[in-house]
Amino acid sequence: MHRAIRVTTASCAGFYLFVYGVDRPETALYALFGPVALGILSPIPGSGRQRAAVILRALPGGLVLITLGTVLAVHTWAAVLGMLVVGFALTFAAVAGPRPAGAAPGLQLFYILACFPPYAPDTLGARLAGLTLGVLLLAACEVYLLPTPPTATYRQSLADAVTIAGRAAAAAASGDLSAEGADDSADRLRETGRQLRLSRLPPAERPAGAGRADRALAQAGAAARRLLDQLAHLRHTPPTVSVVATATSGRGANADATGQGTKADAGATGQGTKADAGAETDADAASADLLGRVAALCEATATALRTGRPPPRSGPPVLDAAMRDFQGLRITQATGPPQSVPPAPVLRRQSSVLALTESARILQTAVRVGLDGRRRPPIPPRELFWYADTPTYLLWWRRLTGHMTLRSVLFQNAVRTALGLGAARLVAGSLDLSHGFWVLLAVLTLGRTTAGGTWTAVRSALAGTLAGALATGTLLLVVGRHTDAYAAVLVPAMLAAFALGPLLGIAWAQALFTLVVSAAFAQIAPASWQLAEDRIVDVATGSAIGLLCGLLAWPAGARREVRRTMAALLRSCGPLITGTVEVLLATPPGTAPLPPTRPVLHRLRLAEAAYLQYRSEPGDRPEVSMDWHAVLITANHILLGAHWLPRFDLPERTVTPEATALARTTAGHLVLATDRVAAICAGEGPPPQPPAVPAYRSPTEVRGHSPLPALIDLEHWLNSLTAQLARIESSVPPGR
């Protein structure tokens, strides 16, 4: 209702002024349709001020398109060629994100209105004046008349999530679950991460652009979600110092009570217990220190997101040095005397802490790149921040050229729309249809990304147009040429059409809009009941053309491309998993070559682009579907593991055959699980059930050797990937 009031006010104010105030019907027509095009036909997302900004930025383009249409109206073939170019360019503008995509239909309508006969270049000034006034009135109404309140920005949502992650890290560092922030349960942490899915964000707030800031914020969101998930997992592995201390005192009490054992044995046992407790205390103290640094880093990052000032550059390097010190302590303990080696649960907790610290480092680095707004020198890992030192124009060029392929959904939509509008302009011009722009308007408003969706829209639109034409014909017969009656009908008809149409469906929208356009044209020029007949013919012609294009040109829509790219991404991850395992198992350490990451990076960029296309399309609605964002996070997690697992200095120790065989077997099972989820993503149905992926456990004591930190880290990485793939598969609704 608020939108209907805003658009009706802006449209009728200019329309009545030019019709009854200065008697300029040509100007009145554009003053009427300018607000309708950008306020109703264009699904521009955002608050009132955000939409007003988009509308004002669209005004110069609208003036150019009206000028172009007025000039090309001299011949049908010229208008058709112009329609092909304009239709493709404006539809392809969806590569820039939801707001340009939302404004595209309205801009196309400006060219459509101007490119039809009569060829009257002398009216160009009147047309431009009408459009300018109408658009300015609409922008003013968006800001001052019942404006839509702003929603939380993506930066605010990300800051809130990072704050929760910081509290959870601080609680984990203290080991006191009753501390502030400990109420962040594992389920709440994971749900907070899920709230960062792009499908759960308002379209205007999704970082879907090709620039450095949007790319960095999207990467920061993925890192924050991964960090929250890792913190949730860490809550299931609390520190063990207090438990060990209790067990130690208990053993001492039992020894005193029974009086069994020699004095020497008791002394030896006490020394061993004291050494074990000391090793565990040192290990947990180091983990707590690293978690405290993560909490401080999250606090600084959340503050930067709220203030808009980049976090300090010293954060990631300092954290990186702390991580190396932490890993050095682990290696020292593992290669020292047996009594200095903490038990496996403590080592596994250390590995979890190290992995989530890497996620926090990536998070703050991405936020700094996103907020700085300037080209930066290469940032490690270079492959993950490849865009940081790339010029903005080159980023946009890569986005545009990357979609200039038949595999791009945006390219498919642009070609389909351009062909439909061009064919409609050719038919309307060749048959000399009265009010032929209604043919193109039907193609523009009723076309959908799937053939089934187009048929549903066309069927409802034809029924609604027929009902509206009957009502309009009756009105024209009864009222005749009494324009004051049409002036009285126009305002309530517009309010009803723009308020009830979106609520009651396409049929009602078309019926009421037929009444609106008939009441408007009857005030500009004398009209009879044949105006309603022309409306039926034009809408039916446009519907047929739109339906034919939907059947012939990529009728499956966007979902197929998303499925295909996600499946290809997961399948490319298999060699990276096995390659990383071989690097860590190499004897001596460092002799195996690092696995190539370029294939996964290439597939990841394609999958991210497909996902953003899918979520940036006009008319996108959140729906229950597979967790595509989790697929991207899993691929990022695989890339991160391939980068950070081999980068620490490995001790000169031979990995036992038992540990090698177990790691390779687990990696092989994980690759099978990845292929299974890829098949589900592609919609092929899962392949024959592979063996379940066993929980990988690195040998804690093999032939007298203490556990290797690298194998513990590998265990954590493989088990985390297994859990992520299981969650992706469980997100598929039954029967889909």
Side-chain angles (χ1 to χ4, degrees):
M1 178 58 72
H2 290 177
R3 180 177 63 174
I5 292 174
R6 291 193 297 267
V7 175
T8 301
T9 300
S11 298
C12 292
F15 182 76
Y16 288 146
L17 172 65
F18 288 115
V19 170
Y20 299 103
V22 295
D23 192 22
R24 298 293 298 269
E26 189 78 20
T27 307
L29 180 64
Y30 284 84
L32 175 73
F33 277 99
V36 172
L38 292 177
I40 299 297
L41 298 182
S42 298
I44 301 175
S47 64
R49 291 189 177 275
Q50 288 175 326
R51 285 205 295 266
V54 174
I55 289 169
L56 291 177
R57 285 197 294 266
L59 178 57
L63 298 177
V64 172
L65 290 171
I66 286 180
T67 303
L68 182 63
T70 301
V71 172
L72 295 182
V74 61
H75 293 297
T76 297
W77 63 265
V80 171
L81 292 178
M83 189 72 260
L84 289 172
V85 174
V86 170
F88 177 86
L90 291 178
T91 307
F92 197 63
V95 299
R99 293 177 189 171
L107 292 172
Q108 288 173 341
L109 181 60
F110 297 151
Y111 176 83
I112 291 171
L113 280 172
C115 75
F116 274 92
Y119 173 64
D122 55 307
T123 64
L124 179 60
R127 295 177 177 184
L128 298 180
L131 177 67
T132 301
L133 179 63
V135 170
L136 292 178
L137 287 174
L138 177 62
C141 289
E142 289 286 356
V143 175
Y144 300 110
L145 182 60
L146 302 173
T148 302
T151 58
T153 65
Y154 183 74
R155 276 172 41 189
Q156 291 172 339
S157 301
L158 184 58
D160 293 341
V162 174
T163 299
I164 293 175
R167 291 204 305 264
S174 67
D176 183 7
L177 297 182
S178 63
E180 181 182 359
D183 60 337
D184 297 326
S185 65
D187 290 340
R188 184 188 173 190
L189 290 173
R190 291 193 174 99
E191 178 58 29
T192 301
R194 284 191 288 268
Q195 292 300 322
L196 295 177
R197 292 178 60 180
L198 297 188
S199 59
R200 296 194 180 187
L201 297 171
E205 303 302 337
R206 298 172 187 171
R212 190 176 300 104
D214 278 1
R215 290 179 187 270
L217 288 178
Q219 186 173 7
R225 189 176 174 188
R226 185 172 57 252
L227 175 61
L228 288 163
D229 186 74
Q230 291 167 327
L231 286 168
H233 175 75
L234 190 68
R235 290 185 63 83
H236 299 300
T237 56
T240 56
V241 173
S242 59
V243 176
V244 172
T246 303
T248 302
S249 61
R251 286 195 296 269
N254 290 337
D256 291 340
T258 59
Q260 296 177 354
T262 63
K263 185 175 181 180
D265 290 341
T269 302
Q271 291 173 359
T273 302
K274 185 176 181 180
D276 291 343
E280 294 184 12
T281 302
D282 292 341
D284 276 333
S287 298
D289 176 71
L290 205 56
L291 285 169
R293 293 178 182 272
V294 170
L297 194 76
C298 288
E299 182 180 357
T301 303
T303 301
L305 287 167
R306 292 190 175 97
T307 61
R309 293 190 293 270
R313 298 185 181 183
S314 59
V318 170
L319 193 64
D320 188 71
M323 292 171 65
R324 290 190 175 276
D325 293 341
F326 182 75
Q327 188 72 344
L329 173 63
R330 297 177 69 202
I331 293 174
T332 300
Q333 291 176 336
T335 56
Q339 63 269 21
S340 70
V341 182
V346 176
L347 291 174
R348 293 189 177 103
R349 177 178 170 82
Q350 288 179 332
S351 182
S352 299
V353 170
L354 193 64
L356 70 86
T357 305
E358 176 69 10
S359 296
R361 188 177 72 91
I362 296 296
L363 167 63
Q364 191 181 67
T365 302
V367 170
R368 183 163 57 87
V369 173
L371 296 182
D372 201 338
R374 294 175 296 177
R375 290 179 56 185
R376 311 199 58 80
I379 295 176
R382 180 68 176 85
E383 292 82 357
L384 297 182
F385 293 97
W386 61 272
Y387 56 86
D389 59 340
T390 304
T392 302
Y393 75 89
L394 189 55
L395 292 175
W396 280 103
W397 176 250
R398 288 182 178 180
R399 171 68 65 87
L400 291 174
T401 56
H403 289 295
M404 295 297 291
T405 170
L406 293 178
R407 301 306 312 180
S408 169
V409 173
L410 288 183
F411 184 82
Q412 296 171 5
N413 291 340
V415 171
R416 179 173 49 234
T417 301
L419 292 177
L421 292 174
R425 180 62 183 88
L426 179 62
V427 170
S430 301
L431 300 180
D432 196 20
L433 296 178
S434 180
H435 299 287
F437 72 91
W438 284 343
V439 179
L440 279 77
L441 186 59
V443 174
L444 185 64
T445 57
L446 301 180
R448 300 293 185 268
T449 56
T450 63
T454 302
W455 167 241
T456 300
V458 164
R459 185 175 52 190
S460 300
L462 289 176
T465 302
L466 180 59
L470 291 176
T472 299
T474 303
L475 177 66
L476 292 172
L477 284 174
V478 172
V479 175
R481 298 188 177 183
H482 296 283
T483 56
D484 53 344
Y486 300 122
V489 168
L490 181 60
V491 172
M494 291 184 74
L495 286 173
F498 300 154
L500 298 180
L503 297 177
L504 302 180
I506 296 177
W508 282 90
Q510 287 293 324
L512 293 170
F513 190 68
T514 299
L515 182 62
V516 168
V517 295
S518 299
F521 278 102
Q523 297 177 68
I524 293 177
S528 65
W529 62 270
Q530 292 178 331
L531 182 63
E533 179 185 12
D534 294 337
R535 171 74 176 166
I536 295 176
V537 173
D538 291 344
V539 171
T541 303
S543 298
I545 295 173
L547 184 59
L548 185 62
C549 289
L551 288 171
L552 297 180
W554 299 288
R559 188 167 299 149
R560 176 179 295 178
E561 194 65 28
V562 174
R563 288 181 174 276
R564 189 191 72 84
T565 55
M566 293 292 180
L569 171 63
L570 287 175
R571 290 188 174 111
S572 68
C573 288
L576 192 56
I577 295 173
T578 55
T580 303
V581 171
E582 293 301 325
V583 170
L584 296 178
L585 299 178
T587 303
T591 56
L594 292 174
T597 58
R598 184 178 297 274
V600 179
L601 281 170
H602 175 67
R603 296 294 182 183
L604 179 61
R605 292 169 188 170
L606 288 179
E608 288 174 340
Y611 180 60
L612 292 176
Q613 289 174 36
Y614 178 61
R615 290 304 181 189
S616 298
E617 287 182 340
D620 171 47
R621 296 183 179 90
E623 59 181 10
V624 178
S625 64
M626 196 164 183
D627 192 350
W628 300 120
H629 199 200
V631 176
L632 298 177
I633 290 175
T634 300
N636 270 292
H637 190 59
I638 293 173
L639 276 170
L640 281 176
H643 281 292
W644 76 268
L645 283 175
R647 77 186 178 95
F648 297 110
D649 295 332
L650 301 177
E652 292 291 338
R653 171 167 290 180
T654 302
V655 181
T656 61
E658 293 88 341
T660 301
L662 184 58
R664 287 173 175 165
T665 301
T666 304
H669 285 304
L670 188 58
V671 171
L672 291 177
T674 304
D675 291 339
R676 172 182 170 82
V677 176
I680 297 175
C681 289
E684 302 168 355
Q689 183 73 27
V693 181
Y696 173 66
R697 289 287 183 244
S698 60
T700 56
E701 291 272 345
V702 179
R703 297 179 183 175
H705 294 293
S706 56
L708 296 177
L711 294 183
I712 296 291
D713 296 341
L714 177 63
E715 169 194 318
H716 178 265
W717 185 59
L718 293 176
N719 290 339
S720 297
L721 292 178
T722 301
Q724 288 175 355
L725 290 171
R727 279 195 294 273
I728 294 172
E729 187 170 354
S730 65
S731 72
V732 182
R736 297 184 62 138

